[in-house]
Amino acid sequence: MLAPFVKVGGHQFILLNILTREFVFFGIPFWPNDFYLVALLFLTGVITIVLFTATLGRIWCGWLCPQTVFMEMIFRKIEWMIEGGPKEQAQRRNGPWTFDRAWRAIVKIVVFAALSFGIANVFLSYVISSDRLLSYVVDGPLAHLELFVGLVFFTFVFFMVFYRFREQACLIACPYGRYMSALVDENTVAVTYDYKRGESRSKWTKADTASRKQHGDGRVQRAAGAGDCVDCHQCVTVCPTGIDIRNGIQLECVNCTACIDACDEVMDKVGMDRGLIRYSSLNAVEHGTSQVFTRRIKAYLAVWCVFILAVGVLFATRSDLDVVLLRQPRSTWTVMKEGTANFYALNIINKTSEDLPYELIVVSPTGYEIKPLNLPPQVKAEQKMEGRLIIIRTARSGRTGDETLQLVLRSRGTVLRTFETTFIGPRE
Ligand code: SF4
Ligand code: SF4
């Protein structure tokens, strides 16, 4: 949430401007020619999610996905403050429209809309930068009407997601859930109902109450043949996607753990051990043991390590300076009054936070000069400089024909780059 408003070394902590291809991750700016690093980071993120899903189920959905985090940590908590818990809400929903129901509904809409507007602004600041967003706010909406219309549209989308669609958005729009069935297996740790302990399910009976009194140690032995599930449906009632986890792991489960909490509460009330629904794997429930490092997980881990290593190495060796010297396309040589000339284009990207004065000279062979055409004397901090120059073989050098030149780019006496280029000239 705060990432666009945090600055590191003068840069926004995270900026994802797809339109202008400006990317900043953790305060490090990436230029278009660093795009391979951005792509690699993205792929590493995907492989990380695959690895974690195969081992820990939909941990992303339950704990990291912005939709779930906003929904569970902010919107649902506010909803509960305004309208009460799920039971109270259901009672109100099924009852008539009263003043009490109306004011709560209006307050909820206003608060949800305001929060959605705030979230849309935060998302926009990821794209256009928080500085630009603040300047647009100062200018007023009419000065940037198109952007404001987009902002209102996304506010409406967020509002509908949090107010109406909620986890349905995960089922309808999110591609990740679709891949889940391909990634999980019987060793994946996920929210799981212990059917061995819970079945056969049956309602809590008078005999069970009597049994609880008899034992008096907090543990209850239900009637013969009855499992620990008292078939209260609490796990189904609290489930945001409306599934019954007792039917096994399902595509719709977003790992929010609401059913775990609800069932633990029921177990506490009836005096049985918690954990009838818990984080576990199918193998652990069935056989009491589960293998975490299966061959498949080891393979994912190996690929993940390779990617992490590659990202680390490429980051460590990433240059602060990109220099490209290219002969002007489709050009050969020209005769000028100073001598024979070849035209070049010079591009320098200065990724550092300091201005970079520079000079380009021909170190070998002798008899050559460089004449800048429109080259500024320095490259500004975090800027790209594009310009043209002429390499001239002086008439007095007496050299002829094509020659290989050695050039260096220096800054404050330090050699930054060396180049080789072939100078093209007449044979005599
Ligand atoms: S909350 Fe627990 S006891 Fe109640 S139905 Fe679900 S699994 Fe059974
Ligand atoms: S309540 Fe349980 S079954 Fe429903 S989505 Fe959350 S974790 Fe999955």
Side-chain angles (χ1 to χ4, degrees):
M1 234 355 216
L2 293 177
F5 303 97
V6 175
K7 292 278 171 76
V8 178
H11 295 288
Q12 187 164 306
F13 191 61
I14 294 182
L15 175 72
L16 306 166
N17 195 338
I18 301 160
L19 305 174
T20 59
R21 289 187 291 160
E22 274 179 80
F23 297 96
V24 180
F25 292 103
F26 312 114
I28 304 168
F30 288 81
W31 290 80
N33 52 347
D34 290 327
F35 198 75
Y36 68 98
L37 263 179
V38 177
L40 201 64
L41 270 179
F42 176 76
L43 275 176
T44 308
V46 170
I47 292 167
T48 307
I49 291 176
V50 166
L51 175 64
F52 277 83
T53 306
T55 17
L56 298 171
R58 289 173 78 170
I59 197 159
W60 164 265
C61 295
W63 303 99
L64 298 170
C65 172
Q67 206 264 3
T68 313
V69 172
F70 284 133
M71 189 67 235
E72 300 305 324
M73 304 292 166
I74 301 175
F75 285 88
R76 205 179 301 279
K77 286 203 172 10
I78 289 172
E79 183 179 64
W80 286 12
M81 278 166 59
I82 298 170
E83 294 190 320
K87 257 189 184 171
E88 229 179 302
Q89 286 179 37
Q91 277 170 2
R92 218 173 261 121
R93 242 192 335 266
N94 297 329
W97 274 99
T98 60
F99 174 70
D100 178 66
R101 184 179 169 186
W103 79 256
R104 286 176 199 275
I106 291 168
V107 169
K108 184 170 136 181
I109 288 173
V110 171
V111 174
F112 274 37
L115 283 171
S116 301
F117 185 68
I119 291 171
N121 273 279
V122 171
F123 271 75
L124 187 62
S125 62
Y126 272 103
V127 179
I128 66 166
S129 87
S130 53
D131 289 344
R132 202 171 297 165
L133 177 72
L134 290 176
S135 77
Y136 288 179
V137 171
V138 173
D139 293 347
L142 291 181
H144 308 279
L145 197 57
E146 282 177 11
L147 204 70
F148 185 69
V149 170
L151 193 66
V152 171
F153 172 75
F154 280 103
T155 300
F156 178 71
V157 170
F158 285 129
F159 175 79
M160 289 309 287
V161 166
F162 294 116
Y163 182 81
R164 174 78 187 83
F165 294 115
R166 304 193 165 186
E167 283 73 14
Q168 297 306 314
C170 311
L171 306 182
I172 298 164
C174 180
Y176 171 58
R178 317 265 147 207
Y179 291 109
M180 191 191 77
S181 52
L183 296 173
V184 299
D185 63 12
E186 59 281 1
N187 286 305
T188 302
V189 177
V191 175
T192 307
Y193 167 68
D194 186 343
Y195 72 92
K196 279 203 153 175
R197 185 185 142 192
E199 300 300 317
S200 57
R201 68 188 78 161
S202 59
K203 297 278 180 206
W204 184 258
T205 63
K206 279 184 185 162
D208 295 325
T209 308
S211 152
R212 179 164 57 185
K213 279 177 190 156
Q214 277 167 18
H215 286 270
D217 62 351
R219 282 192 52 78
V220 171
Q221 185 63 54
R222 299 193 68 196
D228 283 0
C229 175
V230 297
D231 208 14
C232 63
H233 271 250
Q234 278 306 304
C235 50
V236 183
T237 307
V238 297
C239 178
T241 56
I243 59 169
D244 189 341
I245 192 65
R246 294 175 298 173
N247 296 334
I249 296 179
Q250 291 151 69
L251 193 70
E252 292 85 352
C253 175
V254 292
N255 256 19
C256 70
T257 69
C259 55
I260 295 183
D261 297 339
C263 189
D264 280 349
E265 234 175 80
V266 175
M267 292 293 109
D268 287 347
K269 273 188 199 154
V270 297
M272 285 188 278
D273 287 340
R274 289 176 155 219
L276 179 56
I277 302 175
R278 60 180 183 273
Y279 262 117
S280 188
S281 69
L282 204 58
N283 262 349
V285 167
E286 268 179 16
H287 310 296
T289 55
S290 184
Q291 201 189 347
V292 178
F293 288 105
T294 57
R295 269 175 35 199
R296 193 167 66 105
I297 299 298
K298 282 177 191 164
Y300 288 158
L301 200 57
V303 175
W304 184 75
C305 287
V306 168
F307 270 77
I308 291 287
L309 198 69
V311 167
V313 169
L314 288 173
F315 260 91
T317 56
R318 178 176 173 258
S319 162
D320 280 344
L321 187 73
D322 283 339
V323 187
V324 179
L325 178 70
L326 285 177
R327 176 186 303 284
Q328 195 163 292
R330 291 184 295 279
S331 69
T332 53
W333 50 269
T334 309
V335 176
M336 300 170 64
K337 69 174 184 318
E338 298 97 328
T340 311
N342 282 195
F343 287 77
Y344 284 85
L346 177 66
N347 293 345
I348 301 178
I349 298 175
N350 176 12
K351 299 176 190 172
T352 67
S353 52
E354 284 178 13
D355 292 350
L356 181 85
Y358 68 92
E359 59 173 339
L360 186 69
I361 53 170
V362 180
V363 286
S364 128
T366 54
Y368 286 87
E369 287 172 2
I370 290 181
K371 186 175 177 185
L373 286 178
N374 55 350
L375 290 176
Q378 60 178 13
V379 189
K380 294 218 171 296
E382 291 164 9
Q383 295 289 322
K384 181 177 182 181
M385 184 279 295
E386 290 176 335
R388 290 170 63 230
L389 57 92
I390 312 171
I391 299 180
I392 301 168
R393 179 158 67 198
T394 56
R396 63 181 179 281
S397 70
R399 296 178 171 277
T400 57
D402 296 352
E403 281 191 300
T404 302
L405 309 187
Q406 310 287 335
L407 297 99
V408 296
L409 182 83
R410 292 193 306 210
S411 177
R412 301 182 183 103
T414 306
V415 174
L416 302 176
R417 290 284 185 281
T418 56
F419 310 90
E420 247 185 30
T421 184
T422 303
F423 185 90
I424 303 170
R427 295 210 176 275
E428 6 189 290

